[in-house]
């Protein structure tokens, strides 16, 4: 059995997080005042945790990935004068690929009877906290034993774009564009799970758990204020949220467990 052997647990983790504050402001005053503010943010993340070979553990085998993103973007402009012009633009593009997987051709055995015997905490149980008013994902209160493949991601976004123009002639315009494309996948490929030796010596609670979850919460505000004898204001807000959540055991996989085999995909969009 060439590969990784452990009396207890084998754990593969990949974790990423972003906490971003972006502010763009422009202020101008005079006989003719023109103010402009532009904020542009691009995130392109890939976070993978995987096993692509042979692993044997007396305890548990855990493959986990996570990517959590928090963003606050503020873009503002003020133009004041006999002619006041304010223009503000905010653009945010977030692309994320978060995966946990056991690849094609791998062989993984996890007996679930390791030294610690506590099992793996934080495993999704397939339900949302508080039902339709979901504010998170329910997890098993006690540790799960065996093979756990779990991917999790989140986006918490606040994007504010404001423009103001004041004067005898006041003109203002604001444009905000938010595009979020976050893919979260957990999978077992064409692999052998708990097949060595007919799974002899496995614990009664040995299981296989594949779970993927994404929580996306976004608030965007776009405003334009124009004041004067002639006042013209306009605001445009464009939002695109395209998040895919996928948990699967793919064709060709051979999976054995003395306990449960669970595959759960969970999503929250607000």
């Amino acid at each position: 059995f060439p590969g990784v052997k452990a009396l207890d647990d084998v754990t593969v983790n990949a974790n990423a997080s972003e906490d971003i504050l972006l502010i763009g402001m422009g202020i101008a005053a005079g006989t003719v005042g023109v103010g402009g503010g532009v904020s542009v943010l691009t995130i392109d993340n890939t976070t993978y945790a995987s096993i692509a070979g042979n692993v044997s553990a007396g305890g548990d085998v855990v493959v986990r990935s996570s990517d959590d993103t928090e963003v606050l973007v503020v873009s503002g402009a003020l133009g004041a004068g006999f002619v006041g012009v304010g223009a503000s633009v905010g653009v945010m593009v977030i692309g994320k690929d978060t995966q946990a997987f056991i690849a094609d051709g791998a062989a993984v055995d996890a007996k679930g009877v390791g030294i610690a015997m506590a099992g793996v905490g934080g495993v999704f149980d397939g339900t949302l906290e508080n039902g339709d008013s979901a504010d998170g994902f329910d997890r098993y209160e006690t540790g799960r034993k065996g093979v756990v493949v779990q991917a999790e991601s989140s986006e918490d976004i606040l994007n504010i774009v404001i423009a103001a123009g004041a004067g005898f002639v006041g003109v203002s315009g604001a444009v905000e564009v938010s595009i979020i494309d976050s893919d979260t996948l957990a999978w077992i490929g064409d692999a052998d799970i708990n097949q060595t030796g007919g799974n002899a010596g496995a614990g009664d609670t040995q299981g296989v758990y594949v779970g993927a979850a994404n929580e996306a919460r976004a608030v965007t505000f776009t405003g334009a204020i124009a004041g004067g004898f002639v006042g013209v204001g306009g605001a445009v807000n464009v939002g695109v949220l395209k998040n895919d959540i996928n948990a699967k055991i793919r064709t060709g996989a051979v999976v054995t467990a003395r306990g449960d085999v669970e595959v759960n995909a969970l999503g929250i969009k607000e």
Side-chain angles (χ1 to χ4, degrees):
F1 190 94
V4 176
K5 297 182 180 180
L7 291 175
D8 202 10
D9 302 334
V10 175
T11 301
V12 180
N13 286 324
N15 302 303
S17 66
E18 304 82 43
D19 190 351
I20 297 170
L21 171 62
L22 182 63
I23 300 175
M25 302 291 291
I27 299 174
T31 303
V32 177
V34 179
V38 177
S39 297
V40 178
L41 172 66
T42 301
I43 296 174
D44 186 6
N45 284 1
T46 300
T47 309
Y48 285 3
S50 65
I51 291 176
N54 299 333
V55 175
S56 176
D60 309 310
V61 174
V62 183
V63 185
R64 272 181 168 156
S65 65
S66 68
D67 188 353
D68 299 311
T69 304
E70 293 187 18
V71 178
L72 171 58
V73 178
V74 179
S75 183
L78 171 63
F82 183 77
V83 177
V85 179
S88 182
V89 177
V91 178
M92 178 172 55
V93 179
I94 296 176
K96 296 167 55 176
D97 184 6
T98 308
Q99 296 192 35
F101 58 91
I102 297 176
D104 294 347
V108 175
D109 298 289
K111 301 301 184 183
V113 290
I115 298 170
M117 292 296 290
V120 182
V123 176
F124 301 132
D125 70 4
T127 60
L128 303 176
E129 290 182 4
N130 299 322
D132 291 339
S133 302
D135 55 9
F137 307 108
D138 284 324
R139 303 167 194 264
Y140 284 106
E141 295 182 359
T142 58
R144 303 291 96 180
K145 297 178 181 179
V147 175
V148 176
V149 181
Q150 188 160 295
E152 183 174 5
S153 64
S154 67
E155 296 81 42
D156 189 354
I157 308 298
L158 176 58
N159 196 352
I160 300 172
V161 179
I162 298 175
F168 183 78
V169 177
V171 179
S172 68
V175 177
E176 186 276 327
V177 178
S178 297
I179 300 173
I180 302 172
D181 185 356
S182 178
D183 297 332
T184 309
L185 295 87
W187 52 277
I188 295 174
D190 182 0
D192 291 336
I193 309 299
N194 299 325
Q195 298 303 305
T196 302
N199 200 31
D204 292 338
T205 57
Q206 177 202 49
V208 177
Y209 303 88
V210 182
N214 171 260
E215 182 174 0
R217 301 183 186 274
V219 176
T220 63
F221 175 81
T222 304
I225 302 170
F229 183 76
V230 178
V232 179
V236 177
N237 189 319
V238 178
V240 177
L241 178 60
K242 185 183 177 183
N243 286 7
D244 297 326
I245 307 110
N246 199 320
K248 64 173 67 175
I249 297 176
R250 293 181 174 175
T251 301
V254 182
V255 177
T256 298
R258 296 194 64 184
D260 298 329
V261 176
E262 294 187 11
V263 181
N264 295 305
L266 303 164
I268 298 172
K269 297 178 177 68
E270 183 177 282

